[in-house]
Amino acid sequence: MRLAVFSVVRNEADILGAFLRHVLSLFDYAILVDHRSLDGSGDMLRAACNERPGWRCWRAEYEGHHQKQAAAIGLRQLFQHTDADFVCLLDADEFIDVPDRTRFEHLFDTLKNAEQVGQFFWRNCLPADLGRDRLAIGDLIRISPVRSMFSKIVIPRGLWNACGAALGPTMGYHAIEPLPDRIPTYRPLGDLLHVPLRSRAQMERKVVLNWLAELARANRPNGENVHWRQVIERMSDGGIGDADLIGCAADYGHPDRPIQPMDQAALDRAGFAIRPLDVAAVPPLVLVAGAPVDPLRAMASALRQWRIEDPDTELRLDRNVLRLSSDDAGRPPGVDPVSQEAPELRRLHSALSACEAEIAELNRALAAAAQDAEQAQAGRSDAEAEIRVLRSSTSFRITAPMRIAMASIRRIRGRLLESSERRMHAREQ
C-alpha cells in the first residue's frame, strides 16, 4: 500500500516538529506547502523534505484562504506523478491516532468500495500544560471524550480515476465538493487528535491570520469558520481570557454554540482524559528551531499584501510556487489585479480602501510603540513602567493598535456583507 499526504502550513513551528515526525512515519509521499510563514516553518518543511524521494515542499504566494484550490492541485500532482493508493488531507495540528504504520494500513483495508471517501474525525485536544511554548511527541494532552462533527477526508485512487479534475475537497477538507454524476459514500476510519490551542500567543496569531484570510475571500459562504468570528468578536469587545481560549479549543468549530469559558476543573468535569501524544512517529529530527512571532507583527505582515480575492480564482503551480492565476507576470507594476476584475469585485475591493484611515492609525501606533521601546532601552526614569506596557502588547485586551485593527476588520466585514446583499437583491430583481 502506498500512502500520501497534502498539508498547508502557516506559522506552526511550535507543533511542526511533532507533526513532521508523525507524517514521516506514516506516508510514502508528501506535498507540504509553506504559506508565508514568519516563524521558520518553511525552513523546517524544506529540511524534512530534503533527500526524501517523493516529498515536495511548495510555497503559497497568495493572501486569501484558497484551501480547496491548493488541495485540488496537490491531489492532481500526487495521483498523476506517484503510485499513491490514498491521499490524506491534514493540517499541522492534526495527528492520526495510530501507534504505527501497520495499524494505519489496516484502517484502509476497511474501504471495500474503491470509490468510498475515508474520514478521520476530530477529537479536540489541548496540552495538559499550557505554560509550554512547544508541543512534542510524548507530551501530555487532554482529549475530548466525544468525536467532533468535523472530519478530514482520505481520497482513494479509485475515486480519483473515476472523477479526475471534477474531484475537489471543500474548505477545511471536511468533505468533497458535490459531483455531477455520482453521490460518494463516506466511511469513518478512526480518530484525529486535533490540537488547535498550544499557547495564548499562538492562538491569538492563528485567529487573526485566519480571519484576515477569510475576509480576503469575496462572497464568503455563511456558516464557515464560526469559531474565528466568535473569538474576534470577543477580542474587539474588550478582550479574551485564557478560559475563553480553552473553551474555544475544547468545542472547536461547533457552528451553533457560543464559546463557553472553561478552566482545568471544567475540563475534568467534561470528561477530558489526560494521556501522552503517543502516536506513530519517527525518531526526533534535526530541524532548525522556529522563532516566536508576535500576533501584531503577523497581522501587519498579512495587511501589507492583503486584498479581496475572488474565491473562484484558480491557482497555478509555477515550479514549486502556488500563485493566483490572475497574477500575470506582465501586469504593469502597481496595478492591483482585483481592480481589473468584474465590477462587483471592484466594489468589494473598495471596502478595504474605506479602512485606510484606521490602518494609517495602526501604523502610527506601531511607530509610537517602537519609539517608546527605544526610549525605555535608553534608560528613561520610567523604564520599568514602559517595559510592563511593552510586555502586555501581545494581549488583545489592552493594546490600542489591536482595538483599532479589530474595528477595521468588523467594518470591512460589514461592508462586504452589504455589497453581497445588494448583488443578491439585484439578481432577484
Side-chain angles (χ1 to χ4, degrees):
M1 186 179 293
R2 309 293 282 174
L3 305 175
V5 63
F6 177 85
S7 182
V8 178
V9 174
R10 187 170 192 176
N11 294 321
E12 300 277 13
D14 64 317
I15 198 171
L16 191 54
F19 177 73
L20 289 172
R21 289 181 59 191
H22 182 56
V23 298
L24 285 167
S25 72
L26 296 180
F27 296 99
D28 305 292
Y29 308 107
I31 293 177
L32 306 175
V33 185
D34 172 34
H35 188 187
R36 291 184 172 178
S37 295
L38 301 173
D39 66 349
S41 291
D43 293 333
M44 297 173 73
L45 293 176
R46 283 184 286 275
C49 292
N50 283 344
E51 300 180 3
R52 288 185 171 87
W55 290 68
R56 300 289 180 266
C57 182
W58 293 354
R59 271 192 350 267
E61 289 295 331
Y62 51 80
E63 193 52 58
H65 211 163
H66 298 275
Q67 271 189 329
K68 61 182 183 181
Q69 294 96 321
I73 293 176
L75 287 172
R76 184 166 64 247
Q77 290 287 317
L78 288 167
F79 279 125
Q80 289 183 350
H81 300 290
T82 76
D83 59 351
D85 299 298
F86 301 92
V87 176
C88 295
L89 304 172
L90 296 177
D91 293 333
D93 58 2
E94 297 169 339
F95 299 83
I96 298 167
D97 195 12
V98 291
D100 51 46
R101 168 70 183 246
T102 300
R103 176 59 183 156
F104 191 43
E105 288 192 18
H106 287 166
L107 298 178
F108 293 99
D109 290 337
T110 65
L111 287 176
K112 302 301 183 182
N113 184 338
E115 296 187 12
Q116 277 187 319
V117 179
Q119 293 176 297
F120 286 100
F121 279 87
W122 277 351
R123 282 192 185 267
N124 290 323
C125 309
L126 60 157
D129 180 6
L130 290 175
R132 305 182 65 175
D133 59 358
R134 293 182 185 276
L135 183 69
I137 299 293
D139 285 353
L140 293 178
I141 56 174
R142 287 181 172 270
I143 304 176
S144 173
V146 296
R147 281 181 171 178
S148 167
M149 62 184 293
F150 292 108
S151 67
K152 287 300 179 72
I153 56 172
V154 178
I155 307 296
R157 178 171 287 277
L159 184 59
W160 169 261
N161 290 341
C163 302
L167 181 65
T170 61
M171 285 293 294
Y173 311 149
H174 302 309
I176 62 173
E177 295 281 4
L179 297 169
D181 57 350
R182 68 187 65 234
I183 300 177
T185 58
Y186 292 80
R187 182 177 180 83
L189 299 178
D191 288 338
L192 199 61
L193 302 181
H194 177 226
V195 195
L197 167 65
R198 279 89 70 187
S199 68
R200 182 186 182 90
Q202 168 264 329
M203 195 67 167
E204 290 174 343
R205 181 187 68 238
K206 182 173 184 173
V207 167
V208 168
L209 289 179
N210 277 278
W211 193 244
L212 284 174
E214 281 296 288
L215 289 176
R217 297 168 59 207
N219 304 324
R220 296 185 310 282
N222 291 327
E224 285 188 359
N225 293 313
V226 176
H227 43 289
W228 299 135
R229 184 172 67 248
Q230 290 184 10
V231 177
I232 287 290
E233 288 172 352
R234 293 284 186 93
M235 291 175 180
S236 64
D237 288 340
I240 188 166
D242 289 345
D244 295 304
L245 295 177
I246 292 173
C248 177
D251 197 24
Y252 191 89
H254 197 287
D256 300 323
R257 292 195 291 266
I259 296 172
Q260 298 296 326
M262 299 183 72
D263 56 15
Q264 300 292 345
L267 291 173
D268 290 337
R269 290 193 298 271
F272 276 71
I274 296 181
R275 57 165 264 202
L277 181 61
D278 51 359
V279 294
V282 299
L285 303 172
V286 178
L287 299 171
V288 176
V293 179
D294 186 276
L296 192 58
R297 182 193 169 196
M299 182 180 65
S301 175
L303 286 173
R304 288 178 65 182
Q305 302 185 53
W306 194 91
R307 70 186 189 200
I308 297 170
E309 298 172 341
D310 182 350
D312 296 322
T313 297
E314 292 299 320
L315 299 181
R316 60 184 173 89
L317 180 62
D318 182 6
R319 295 189 179 179
N320 66 334
V321 180
L322 286 171
R323 307 181 191 276
L324 291 172
S325 296
S326 58
D327 289 344
D328 296 328
R331 180 181 293 109
V335 176
D336 191 326
V338 174
S339 65
Q340 298 181 339
E341 295 290 343
E344 60 266 29
L345 289 180
R346 290 201 299 271
R347 286 194 296 272
L348 288 170
H349 186 58
S350 69
L352 178 60
S353 299
C355 295
E356 288 180 351
E358 287 91 342
I359 294 173
E361 182 65 28
L362 170 62
N363 290 332
R364 286 193 292 270
L366 285 170
Q371 184 178 5
D372 287 344
E374 292 175 0
Q375 292 173 345
Q377 292 171 357
R380 288 175 48 180
S381 60
D382 57 346
E384 184 176 345
E386 291 294 327
I387 290 172
R388 283 200 301 270
V389 172
L390 290 171
R391 283 176 176 169
S392 67
S393 66
T394 58
S395 171
F396 288 92
R397 290 175 290 187
I398 61 174
T399 307
M402 284 299 183
R403 294 278 186 85
I404 296 167
M406 294 305 104
S408 298
I409 287 173
R410 296 183 93 174
R411 182 174 175 181
I412 292 170
R413 179 173 177 269
R415 290 182 175 239
L416 290 175
L417 290 174
E418 290 174 4
S419 178
S420 177
E421 289 172 357
R422 285 197 300 270
R423 283 199 316 279
M424 291 180 64
H425 179 70
R427 290 194 185 105
E428 291 173 356
Q429 294 298 322

